[in-house]
């Protein structure tokens, strides 16, 4: 199986009103915190556009290396019509995942029954997200899902989602679930790895049109 390789990203050089380059990802002394005026302000949302490129590259990689299909779709979110790509592995006990592309721009990763993570999660200038760091998080979380490293546990109306990596890195979250019985039950032994592709993928990396 070929290893995933991040595509070359076009990272724009952005400047402030004085013409100085804005060092996103390294702007603030976190002992003091960002100035109050930067909260709820996103001066250059276009800088997150490379994350959409990363999600496209992950889609191509996963459908080329795993027995999985990609289905294009649309949904309305906060009054905006957004594009979705759902990747479904051939094994029923492996977690499907969906990329949602917004006009902000941003990417949301949904996986399994309940897991969701947004890149960026906020995007304001106070958060000072590094696009390269966000790309790395999106990549390892997506690849970890395909490797069978997503675990979801539902108990008393609360679900715990955890993703781990072989090097010990991991994330977890917990939230309340409304009407849990409306969704199919979780696999009792956890989500399994996606099956490797044996033959070549179908047209456009196994994608199927919406409808």
């Amino acid at each position: 199986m070929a290893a995933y390789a991040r595509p070359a990203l076009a990272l724009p050089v952005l400047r402030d009103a004085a013409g100085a380059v804005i060092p996103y990802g390294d702007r603030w002394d976190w002992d003091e915190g960002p100035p109050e005026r930067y909260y709820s302000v996103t001066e250059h949302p276009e800088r997150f556009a490379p994350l959409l490129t990363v999600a496209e590259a992950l889609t191509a990689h996963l459908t080329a290396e795993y027995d999985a299909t990609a289905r294009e779709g649309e949904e309305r979110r906060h009054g905006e019509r957004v594009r979705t790509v759902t990747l479904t592995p051939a094994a029923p006990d492996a977690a499907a995942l969906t990329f949602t592309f917004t006009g902000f721009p941003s990417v949301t990763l949904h996986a399994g029954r309940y897991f969701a993570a947004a890149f960026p999660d906020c995007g304001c200038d106070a958060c000072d997200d590094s696009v390269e760091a966000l790309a790395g998080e999106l990549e390892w979380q997506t690849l970890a899902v395909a490797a069978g490293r997503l675990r979801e546990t539902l108990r008393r109306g609360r679900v715990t989602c955890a993703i781990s990596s072989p090097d010990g890195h991991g994330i977890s979250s917990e939230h309340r679930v409304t009407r849990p019985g409306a969704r199919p039950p979780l696999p009792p032994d956890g989500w399994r790895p996606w099956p490797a592709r044996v033959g070549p993928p179908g047209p456009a990396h196994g994608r199927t049109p919406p409808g």
Side-chain angles (χ1 to χ4, degrees):
M1 182 178 294
Y4 167 81
R6 181 184 297 177
L9 301 181
L11 300 176
V13 177
L14 301 171
R15 300 178 183 276
D16 61 21
V21 174
I22 303 173
Y24 281 113
D26 192 30
R27 297 184 77 181
W28 316 126
D29 179 344
W30 288 103
D31 289 334
E32 300 179 1
E36 189 68 27
R37 67 181 181 275
Y38 288 100
Y39 286 91
S40 301
V41 172
T42 304
E43 186 176 2
H44 293 289
E46 72 276 11
R47 71 191 187 88
F48 296 111
L51 296 172
L52 280 63
T53 301
V54 171
E56 296 282 11
L58 286 165
T59 297
H61 171 77
L62 292 174
T63 52
E65 301 301 324
Y66 294 94
D67 189 0
T69 56
R71 183 179 181 83
E72 299 270 352
E74 287 186 343
E75 64 181 46
R76 186 167 292 279
R77 178 175 295 189
H78 306 299
E80 175 191 12
R81 186 170 295 279
V82 298
R83 172 180 170 236
T84 63
V85 177
T86 298
L87 305 181
T88 305
D93 55 354
L97 63 83
T98 298
F99 294 117
T100 301
F101 301 77
T102 78
F104 175 72
S106 69
V107 176
T108 300
L109 169 65
H110 295 268
R113 298 277 188 269
Y114 302 101
F115 177 81
F119 305 86
D121 181 53
C122 172
C124 78
D125 287 0
C127 290
D128 194 34
D129 295 296
S130 160
V131 171
E132 291 175 296
L134 289 172
E137 285 291 309
L138 174 59
E139 288 165 342
W140 89 258
Q141 290 182 33
T142 299
L143 297 174
V145 171
R149 293 184 170 274
L150 169 63
R151 294 290 179 266
E152 296 178 293
T153 305
L154 182 62
R155 180 178 297 177
R156 297 179 180 177
R158 298 193 69 84
V159 64
T160 300
C161 304
I163 297 182
S164 62
S165 65
D167 64 5
H169 183 48
I171 60 169
S172 64
S173 62
E174 180 179 312
H175 61 273
R176 183 167 295 280
V177 176
T178 58
R179 300 178 62 234
R183 303 192 192 191
L186 294 167
D189 298 321
W191 296 107
R192 299 318 225 181
W194 289 18
R197 182 171 295 282
V198 177
H205 298 292
R207 297 191 182 192
T208 57

